[in-house]
Amino acid sequence: MLRPLALALLLACAAAPEAQDRQILFPDVPGLHTMVVDLHTHTVFSDGDVWPTIRVQEARRDGLDALAITDHLELLKRAPDVPGLDRNRSAEIALEASANGVSPLLVIRGAEITREQPYGHANAVFIEDANALLLDSARDVFAEARRQGAFTFITHPAWTTQRKDAIARLTDEQRQLVADSLVQGIEVVNDQTYSDEALQLALDFGLAILGTSDLHGVADWTFHEASGGHRPVTLVLAPERSASGLRAGLDAGRTVALFKQTLIGRERDVLPLLWATLGIGRTFYNNGGISVLNVELVNRSTTPLLLENRSAYALHNGIGVITVPAEGSVVVRFKTLERVLSVPISFAVLNAVTAPGEHPVLSMEVGPGMNR
Ligand SMILES: [Zn+2]
Ligand SMILES: [Zn+2]
């Protein structure tokens, strides 16, 4: 018969895999920490469907390092039931909830500036007082956010409510905000949408590349996390794993969006992340004079890597596209035609994008003479 403690342990073990499976994990890169953050979420204090404590619980389950609560300043859909007159209240409730948990989660104060075009929507995060952002002129709101020390980014620039053709463009007013350093980033990914044009705008205007959930409903029901899905997030390469480190990473534009298991960012940031994520395991020839080189590829992240063989050598056990499973490994067999100590191999990473239509390429030297 099981004693109560043993039974509790058994139940804990049984419950653990589900909670672990949905965590988003990437290794650190040399000299910088990889922080997983979602800088765009709503609660019942604007037009969301959940209380702020649920946002905190979801973020913990998803393995986030930081979560911003960014309720709309100008849209209080639940006003009859949740007046929301104090625009700081949703973040305060989330901050209290995050302080009580076992695992660390940074809650960042934010607000969504919610205007018609030409200003459209934008998120100010790392603000001090959302109530002070209730101003008539949109331009004044951006200036006040800046005065409070905010990091501000344009949200969903390809949103079909404000862009019927789903092509992201910057209005003259938005360009002026960028020129005046009142906007430092742009969402390339929002909820279920990705925009090539927004990525190009980020590259052209030197803006941080962001991916966010823009959650209004329940995370599980929106992104099917219990069955292998994930919310869009931003991976921030930060000098330290803290609020100020996160802010420094954002200010430096060291960001990579993760959307439907695809990395989207500047080559400068995507390459070190991929080099940290993809490892080479055992490399060997089988006995008997066979000249097929076995190379074990190791994935240190929770995102499967989709690689296209760009080496001079064809594969013996595949046609050209290789999946390295999340937190797993795969053995790729190259036909090197003779037994050599080392060979150059290279892969295009098909689920990483560094500019519209461009995949990064990883080239390396591998061989039985190079085993550590
Ligand atoms: Zn919005
Ligand atoms: Zn929003």
Side-chain angles (χ1 to χ4, degrees):
M1 199 183 112
L2 288 167
R3 303 206 317 267
L5 178 62
L7 186 61
L9 282 172
L10 260 181
L11 289 172
C13 291
E18 192 204 338
Q20 294 300 318
D21 283 351
R22 53 187 288 160
Q23 304 256 318
I24 300 170
L25 294 168
F26 274 84
D28 290 341
V29 306
L32 295 169
H33 298 271
T34 304
M35 296 182 75
V36 182
V37 310
D38 186 357
L39 298 179
H40 191 165
T41 67
H42 297 278
T43 76
V44 287
F45 282 80
S46 59
D47 62 344
D49 298 324
V50 308
W51 195 252
T53 53
I54 298 296
R55 289 282 172 258
V56 170
Q57 291 176 36
E58 290 170 334
R60 288 193 192 288
R61 291 173 69 101
D62 292 352
L64 301 192
D65 292 295
L67 163 77
I69 303 287
T70 56
D71 277 314
H72 296 284
L73 289 170
E74 296 91 349
L75 177 63
L76 303 185
K77 197 173 163 190
R78 316 281 179 222
D81 300 303
V82 187
L85 297 177
D86 178 356
R87 302 297 204 280
N88 293 319
R89 195 60 196 132
S90 52
E92 280 165 5
I93 294 169
L95 278 161
E96 281 166 30
S98 71
N100 297 330
V102 278
S103 61
L105 172 71
L106 296 167
V107 170
I108 311 293
R109 288 175 186 269
E112 185 163 12
I113 303 164
T114 310
R115 303 287 176 134
E116 302 294 325
Q117 294 287 32
Y119 285 98
H121 292 199
N123 272 1
V125 295
F126 290 94
I127 57 172
E128 290 169 355
D129 179 11
N131 294 321
L133 299 175
L134 296 170
L135 302 168
D136 289 335
S137 145
R139 168 88 198 182
D140 288 350
V141 181
F142 284 88
E144 169 60 18
R146 182 70 181 158
R147 199 196 60 74
Q148 292 185 18
F151 175 89
T152 304
F153 57 96
I154 292 168
T155 55
H156 48 70
W159 185 35
T160 49
T161 300
Q162 293 189 339
R163 288 288 182 201
K164 299 293 179 201
D165 56 6
I167 303 293
R169 298 180 195 85
L170 294 185
T171 62
D172 290 345
E173 287 78 0
Q174 288 171 321
R175 281 165 198 257
Q176 195 58 50
L177 292 174
V178 172
D180 295 342
S181 301
L182 296 177
V183 158
Q184 298 107 305
I186 187 167
E187 283 182 352
V188 166
V189 167
N190 173 278
D191 186 11
Q192 313 283 352
T193 64
Y194 159 76
S195 168
D196 256 349
E197 292 82 11
L199 175 57
Q200 193 60 54
L201 287 170
L203 297 174
D204 292 346
F205 287 85
L207 297 169
I209 292 164
L210 295 155
T212 72
S213 71
D214 200 357
L215 266 171
H216 288 74
V218 177
D220 280 72
W221 300 345
T222 310
F223 299 111
H224 310 288
E225 296 170 329
S227 50
H230 72 89
R231 74 166 83 191
V233 293
T234 305
L235 307 175
V236 180
L237 306 183
E240 60 172 51
R241 198 175 288 279
S242 66
S244 62
L246 167 59
R247 180 57 196 268
L250 289 169
D251 285 339
R254 303 298 308 266
T255 58
V256 175
L258 178 69
F259 173 62
K260 299 188 180 185
Q261 306 289 25
T262 298
L263 295 162
I264 304 152
R266 289 175 169 80
E267 196 170 55
R268 172 196 70 186
D269 305 311
V270 169
L271 279 182
L273 200 53
L274 287 173
W275 282 121
T277 300
L278 180 67
I280 303 294
R282 296 172 311 131
T283 307
F284 59 97
Y285 286 104
N286 291 86
N287 293 331
I290 300 161
S291 63
V292 176
L293 178 65
N294 300 274
V295 179
E296 184 186 26
L297 302 176
V298 180
N299 183 350
R300 303 190 186 99
S301 79
T302 50
T303 289
L305 293 174
L306 196 59
L307 308 179
E308 183 183 66
N309 180 30
R310 293 275 181 90
S311 314
Y313 309 101
L315 304 182
H316 184 46
N317 64 337
I319 293 168
V321 176
I322 304 144
T323 301
V324 192
E327 295 182 298
S329 69
V330 68
V331 173
V332 179
R333 308 189 71 201
F334 291 97
K335 296 192 274 190
T336 60
L337 308 182
E338 54 183 333
R339 290 171 74 110
V340 293
L341 283 177
S342 78
V343 291
I345 59 171
S346 61
F347 304 105
V349 185
L350 299 183
N351 64 325
V353 175
T354 53
E358 270 183 39
H359 302 296
V361 175
L362 302 179
S363 300
M364 61 205 88
E365 193 82 15
V366 298
M370 301 183 67
N371 279 340
R372 287 159 295 272

